[in-house]
Amino acid sequence: MANSKVDLRRPRPVCILRNHNLPIFRQADEALIHLLQDRRLAAAGRSRHSFSPGGLMIEIRHKDSGAVLKTVNGESLAGEYFEGAKLAGADLSKQNLQKADLQRADLRDADLSGANLKGALLNGALVRGAIFDGANMEKADLTDSFALGAGFHGANLNGAIMRYAKLSEADFSESSLVGADMSMAELGCDFSRANLMKADLRGSILAGAVMDGATLLGANLTDAKLAGADMSGARLEGAIMAQGRKLGVGGFKKKEARPWWQFWG
């Protein structure tokens, strides 16, 4: 009989067949999912839950009915995990949501006025009709978000990312969008008196946009669709147009009106 040795240092793979419909296995699967989520969020400096020693709890209520939509254990909502959460109509005004994960969350008609959303993730979030007036959204990520008719009046969106976002009819009046990335986004919005200095608007659709009194110094408008946009009163010095061409101090120049007879002959 051949003398065989077993390598105890490398355990053999074991295939376990189990019934996932049993409660004990469903709980194990959920625990594994939460563990993977916690590891992913910890790597990004966030947490799925923030438990406080005092056992404090935050109730997120509907702004009109007062119904409790979600409860969170902790002293603030900073860094919380709300991916895919159903928070339509929620009252989150003045809440600290810094670095919170709100990806693909339903925030339709929610009130986030005055909230701290610095560095928050709102990728693919549904925020149609939501109010972000006066909110701090510096470096927030709203890529692929649906924000039709949302309000961002006076909000700080410096360095925010809104690539491919649907923002038609949104209100960005008097907001700060310095260095924001709004490339390829639908921007038929009210940008009255907004600061878009050095913003990235490449390939964006600006039909219906109102730029009265807006500042676009050094903004990149390469391949942007400007047909139907009201650029009157906007400051465009140094704005980059097609093929890297920069506008001078005069900005866009209107064609001089000519008498009708000069078009003949």
Side-chain angles (χ1 to χ4, degrees), residues 90-152:
D91 182 3
L92 291 163
S93 57
K94 299 181 180 179
Q95 288 287 350
N96 182 7
L97 288 155
Q98 184 172 354
K99 293 186 178 181
D101 190 342
L102 292 154
Q103 296 181 85
R104 292 174 292 281
D106 184 356
L107 290 161
R108 288 173 297 171
D109 300 313
D111 183 1
L112 294 105
S113 56
N116 180 10
L117 288 150
K118 183 177 181 180
L121 299 178
L122 291 121
N123 311 58
L126 183 59
V127 294
R128 186 180 65 211
I131 303 299
F132 296 90
D133 293 355
N136 179 12
M137 304 183 73
E138 184 179 358
K139 296 183 179 179
D141 193 342
L142 291 94
T143 302
D144 283 320
S145 61
F146 297 84
L148 282 71
F152 298 90

Side-chain angles (χ1 to χ4, degrees), residues 31-44 46-49 81:
L32 178 59
I33 292 172
H34 291 163
L35 176 62
L36 294 175
Q37 290 174 345
D38 289 340
R39 287 182 177 178
R40 177 169 62 86
L41 292 171
R46 301 189 302 276
S47 63
R48 184 168 53 88
H49 296 294
Y81 181 84

Side-chain angles (χ1 to χ4, degrees), residues 128-129 145-150 165-172 185-190 205 207-208:
R128 186 180 65 211
S145 61
F146 297 84
L148 282 71
K166 308 296 187 294
L167 297 162
S168 297
E169 300 181 6
D171 179 13
F172 286 95
E186 295 180 10
L187 300 175
C189 315
D190 183 1
I205 302 173

Side-chain angles (χ1 to χ4, degrees), residues 161-194:
I161 303 173
M162 289 172 274
R163 302 190 69 207
Y164 298 99
K166 308 296 187 294
L167 297 162
S168 297
E169 300 181 6
D171 179 13
F172 286 95
S173 59
E174 299 183 8
S175 62
S176 183
L177 293 144
V178 177
D181 185 353
M182 307 176 81
S183 56
M184 309 301 296
E186 295 180 10
L187 300 175
C189 315
D190 183 1
F191 288 103
S192 300
R193 301 172 300 283

